[in-house]
Amino acid sequence: MDSRRPEAAQVQEMDPGEKRLNELGYKQELRREMTLFKTLAISFSTMTLFTGITPLYGSSLLYAGPASLVWGWVVVSFFTWFVGIAMAEICSSFPTTGSLYFWAAHLAGPRWGPLASWCCAWLETIGLVAGIGTQAYAGSQTLQSIILLCTGTNKDGGYFAPKWLFLCMYIGLTLIWAVLNTFALEVIAFIDVISIWWQVIGGLVIVIMLPLVSLTTKSASYVFTHFETAPDSTGISSKPYVVVLSFLVSQYSLYGYDAAAHLTEETKGADKNGPIAILSSIGIITVFGWAYILALTFSIQDFGYLYDPSNETAGAFVPAQILYDAFYGRYHNSAGAIVLLFIIWGSFFFGGLSITTSAARVVYALSRDEGVPFSSIWRKIHPKHKVPSNAVWLCAAICILLGLPILRVNVVFTAITSICTIGWVGGYAVPIFARIVMDEKNFKAGPFYLGKARRPVCIVAFLWICYTCSVFLLPTYYPLSWSTFNYAPVAIGAGLSLIMLWWVLDARTWFKGPVRNIDIPKGKV
């Protein structure tokens, strides 16, 4: 009797997430040492408070005025909850690093699983790698404004970084994130814990301080009810069309919560903590994001002046001009605006670091299942730090290539943002659709289970994702020209065509989706 106790204790001590991972056919390779708080920190950092709203705030405000922008956040947040709840249930059942890609394979069944996981994996990979680019671009844009205000202003001979220097900043941020991601996981987790406090405290400072510092604030009726189009600037006079476009800032900001799922093989109690981290991230960003939008909008001094290329920030970055107007109006210097811009820049830095972490995990998981050319290289785990370092550097290299057109093209950010959103959010659609059509008896529920509510929740989530992907393909300015054309449909179309051609001609003969690395008894999954 006594001889059995140590064995029983050992079984009891096995983490439930690791036990479920073994049932699914995978052995534990990564360190499982992340707590719920650390996982939440990385998930929240990937969504980030500032990085989605700040770069697109100016264009969304211009399309239809403040009311559409403010209420758009509420509408998008409502539908985002459906997507998050649907994904949380699946995450609870499949706590693996491959997340969406793994979910798609198992939910679609043996016949359609390989194709579903192939599409999902590549959509997610495209979205995440482009996501690194969005953070690097927006971070460089913020840094450009900081340098301009530190050296004067656009009116006082300040230094406005040219395109070559902008590209250097873009590449520099990407390389820093890659270097940090080659260290031990504890370093990344620690930095991301700093990130959540940085964004919470920094967000509170901006949300509270900005309206208080502003000499005047807009009225509540202006912020919540004022609607105006700008056909002279956008070339769009259709009111429904501009409302749709004004929602883009919210749709771009409210995703990324699947980062918690990418880390489930490294999280303690992942079958419970993964879903909690997903839903908590959505809740925090929903509240703080709306407060940030309101703070910016109430603090506007002169709506038309925000877009004037001769203003202090060269009309290049609307949030920077709002901050400058507030602090210069009261204190006659830009020091306060520079400090708050640095807080925002820090958010971009932490966001890019977290997205690099997530992108590398997806590439690693896909390589582990032979889904990427030269998979044997990208699936290697660093012998000391136990992180997929080769996958990290592959993501960084592709991100740098995406940024090279900065030297010649003016719409790079629009294209990268659209590619990121369509790929990232589009990847959510595949497992959610599979969850809708699968036979319920084949689903092994985890601790978080929707029961009879799963089908209506998943249907709403799937339709919302389809709508989101569609609007990011639309032209954002008229008349159409080489300088205003949204290149995302061409880029996404070409990329997905090549990927599907590869599937039809070759990959379908050998790619079977997630490959088990543990032999398990039949019928245990």
Side-chain angles (χ1 to χ4, degrees):
M1 188 81 173
D2 290 340
S3 62
R4 295 182 183 179
R5 282 178 183 172
E7 183 181 351
Q10 187 176 5
V11 172
Q12 288 176 356
E13 288 172 3
M14 176 180 279
D15 184 273
E18 181 177 349
K19 181 181 178 182
R20 178 58 178 153
L21 185 69
N22 292 343
E23 290 174 355
L24 292 168
Y26 285 97
K27 63 183 178 181
Q28 185 72 44
E29 293 182 308
L30 302 172
R31 292 181 181 177
R32 188 177 290 274
E33 56 188 24
M34 300 186 73
T35 62
L36 170 60
F37 184 79
K38 289 181 179 179
T39 304
L40 173 60
I42 290 180
S43 182
F44 178 72
S45 296
T46 302
M47 294 185 75
T48 67
L49 173 59
F50 304 114
T51 57
I53 298 170
T54 307
L56 291 181
Y57 176 85
S59 58
S60 294
L61 180 66
L62 182 64
Y63 286 127
S68 184
L69 171 63
V70 168
W71 292 114
W73 183 269
V74 176
V75 172
V76 174
S77 297
F78 174 77
F79 287 104
T80 298
W81 276 104
F82 284 89
V83 181
I85 291 169
M87 290 177 60
E89 182 199 42
I90 302 172
C91 178
S92 183
S93 178
F94 299 105
T96 68
T97 288
S99 58
L100 304 176
Y101 145 77
F102 187 96
W103 303 347
H106 283 261
L107 294 171
R111 181 180 179 185
W112 296 104
L115 176 59
S117 60
W118 177 265
C119 295
C120 186
W122 278 105
L123 279 170
E124 189 177 14
T125 301
I126 290 169
L128 281 166
V129 174
I132 302 171
T134 62
Q135 301 301 296
Y137 190 101
S140 301
Q141 189 178 40
T142 307
L143 192 56
Q144 185 183 49
S145 295
I146 292 173
I147 294 171
L148 177 60
L149 294 181
C150 284
T151 55
T153 66
N154 186 48
K155 289 185 172 182
D156 297 326
Y159 184 73
F160 189 75
K163 288 184 177 181
W164 68 266
L165 183 55
F166 192 100
L167 178 60
C168 288
M169 292 189 288
Y170 175 97
I171 294 173
L173 283 172
T174 305
L175 293 177
I176 290 170
W177 294 331
V179 169
L180 288 173
N181 267 280
T182 57
F183 289 120
L185 182 64
E186 298 96 319
V187 176
I188 302 298
F190 176 72
I191 291 174
D192 280 304
V193 170
I194 295 174
S195 169
I196 193 169
W197 291 114
W198 179 282
Q199 294 184 80
V200 170
I201 297 173
L204 286 172
V205 168
I206 293 177
V207 167
I208 295 171
M209 180 178 289
L210 184 56
L212 292 177
V213 169
S214 299
L215 284 178
T216 62
T217 56
K218 295 294 184 182
S219 65
S221 62
Y222 175 84
V223 171
F224 293 107
T225 66
H226 185 69
F227 179 93
E228 66 173 300
T229 61
D232 293 339
S233 300
T234 64
I236 304 171
S237 56
S238 168
K239 291 182 178 180
Y241 195 178
V242 293
V243 169
V244 166
L245 294 180
S246 70
F247 280 25
L248 293 182
V249 64
S250 303
Q251 290 165 300
Y252 170 61
S253 304
L254 288 165
Y255 64 84
Y257 35 87
D258 60 303
H262 300 311
L263 298 168
T264 47
E265 286 186 33
E266 299 157 83
T267 303
K268 299 174 183 176
D271 53 344
K272 293 182 180 179
N273 289 337
I276 292 172
I278 289 173
L279 298 178
S280 298
S281 297
I282 297 174
I284 295 170
I285 205 73
T286 295
V287 174
F288 272 80
W290 201 48
Y292 179 48
I293 288 176
L294 290 176
L296 286 173
T297 310
F298 270 108
S299 302
I300 292 172
Q301 302 299 299
D302 184 343
F303 180 87
Y305 188 63
L306 295 175
Y307 302 91
D308 189 342
S310 65
N311 69 18
E312 288 79 5
T313 56
F317 200 37
V318 167
Q321 187 63 40
I322 292 175
L323 294 175
Y324 176 85
D325 287 342
F327 281 91
Y328 189 82
R330 183 171 293 275
Y331 301 112
H332 303 291
N333 66 70
S334 58
I338 293 170
V339 171
L340 296 191
L341 282 171
F342 181 74
I343 293 174
I344 293 171
W345 179 85
S347 184
F348 285 115
F349 182 86
F350 293 128
L353 181 64
S354 292
I355 293 174
T356 303
T357 303
S358 295
R361 296 308 187 276
V362 171
V363 172
Y364 160 74
L366 185 56
S367 300
R368 186 171 61 179
D369 297 331
E370 307 290 339
V372 178
F374 309 106
S375 290
S376 60
I377 298 174
W378 315 124
R379 68 169 174 254
K380 283 185 178 179
I381 299 292
H382 194 286
K384 179 181 179 182
H385 302 305
K386 299 298 181 183
V387 295
S389 53
N390 288 356
V392 168
W393 285 99
L394 175 63
C395 294
I398 296 172
C399 176
I400 290 171
L401 291 176
L402 285 175
L404 293 180
I406 288 171
L407 293 172
R408 295 288 181 183
V409 182
N410 294 325
V411 291
V412 173
F413 185 70
T414 300
I416 296 178
T417 299
S418 297
I419 293 168
C420 171
T421 306
I422 293 167
W424 202 331
V425 179
Y428 296 174
V430 182
I432 290 176
F433 180 76
R435 181 76 180 97
I436 293 171
V437 299
M438 77 176 298
D439 192 333
E440 188 65 14
K441 68 181 181 182
N442 296 327
F443 182 76
K444 182 175 179 179
F448 185 88
Y449 179 54
L450 294 176
K452 293 182 180 179
R454 59 100 180 177
R455 181 156 283 156
V457 168
C458 289
I459 289 174
V460 173
F462 178 75
L463 293 176
W464 176 251
I465 291 169
C466 292
Y467 167 76
T468 298
C469 292
S470 299
V471 296
F472 273 93
L473 296 171
L474 296 173
T476 53
Y477 288 95
Y478 283 89
L480 295 180
S481 66
W482 288 113
S483 61
T484 61
F485 181 63
N486 181 4
Y487 296 97
V490 176
I492 287 285
L496 292 182
S497 295
L498 289 173
I499 290 166
M500 293 311 298
L501 185 64
W502 183 15
W503 170 263
V504 172
L505 297 180
D506 181 41
R508 66 188 175 88
T509 62
W510 51 263
F511 183 78
K512 304 303 179 185
V515 178
R516 290 172 177 164
N517 55 19
I518 283 182
D519 292 325
I520 58 175
K522 231 176 182 181
K524 287 286 184 184
V525 179

